[in-house]
Amino acid sequence: MRTTLISIVLGVALALAACQPAPKQEAAPAPPSQAEIAAAINQVRATYETAVNAGDAAAVAALFTNDAISMPPSEPVLMGKEAIQSNLQSQLDQFKYEITITQDEAVGAGDWAYGRGTYALKATPKAGGKAVDITGKYLNIMQHQPDGSWKIARHIWNSDSPPPAAMMKKK
């Protein structure tokens, strides 16, 4: 009888333990919504615009991943953040830029997203001369970073018309 009583008590205890809810586990953070992604990419766009208008190539480069690739019009591909910064700095040494960038689309999937839009650029030669107005379009492929930020991993843009001779790099 004692063995039967122990078996019953043990059986009830095990049954009660099985009915207890599992310990709570920390839920993985929810992936960002499309609205959050669009807002983050728009913030990168705004920071890029502000930095270019301020003539700050380092601030622009900070928006890129270390292994970013940029494909500027009429130039070779730029590999890496340092090359992107150096190329932009050489332009900013020659021209004062006033750029307005419009984001037309931003879509994300997981740790990747893209931003697409248009730009209007006024480039005034620092050595004097007539300003040049250029309009065009761009596409940025963005990568979500471990710190929660988004950075540009791939960057391409081109103008709606051939670049003016004044804007072409001297070889």
Side-chain angles (χ1 to χ4, degrees):
M1 172 127 162
R2 184 166 191 229
T3 305
T4 304
L5 185 57
I6 291 174
S7 295
I8 292 171
V9 169
L10 189 55
V12 169
L14 288 173
L16 288 172
C19 293
Q20 296 298 316
K24 282 192 172 183
Q25 294 182 358
E26 288 294 317
S33 69
Q34 288 298 316
E36 291 168 326
I37 291 169
I41 293 173
N42 194 48
Q43 182 57 53
V44 171
R45 179 217 45 85
T47 302
Y48 185 102
E49 181 179 89
T50 299
V52 168
N53 288 336
D56 190 346
V60 172
L63 300 171
F64 286 82
T65 61
N66 289 333
D67 62 349
I69 295 173
S70 182
M71 295 175 277
S74 306
E75 293 184 37
V77 171
L78 302 170
M79 307 286 285
K81 183 190 295 193
E82 291 80 17
I84 293 166
Q85 181 175 343
S86 177
N87 180 273
L88 179 57
Q89 187 61 59
S90 71
Q91 294 173 40
L92 293 172
D93 289 344
Q94 298 175 58
F95 297 94
K96 163 70 175 130
Y97 286 157
E98 295 174 54
I99 191 166
T100 301
I101 305 170
T102 302
Q103 179 172 292
D104 296 328
E105 181 179 24
V107 177
D111 287 337
W112 292 93
Y114 71 87
R116 178 189 63 80
T118 59
Y119 67 88
L121 173 72
K122 180 177 187 174
T124 304
K126 288 185 175 180
K130 186 176 178 182
V132 175
D133 291 313
I134 302 171
T135 60
K137 57 256 176 215
Y138 72 91
L139 180 68
N140 287 330
I141 299 175
M142 313 286 288
Q143 187 176 31
H144 196 227
Q145 302 299 296
D147 68 0
S149 67
W150 288 86
K151 292 198 175 194
I152 303 167
R154 304 295 184 264
H155 179 57
I156 187 168
W157 75 98
N158 56 60
S159 63
D160 294 335
S161 57
M167 296 293 297
M168 297 301 295
K169 276 190 166 183
K170 295 179 180 156
K171 308 284 182 201

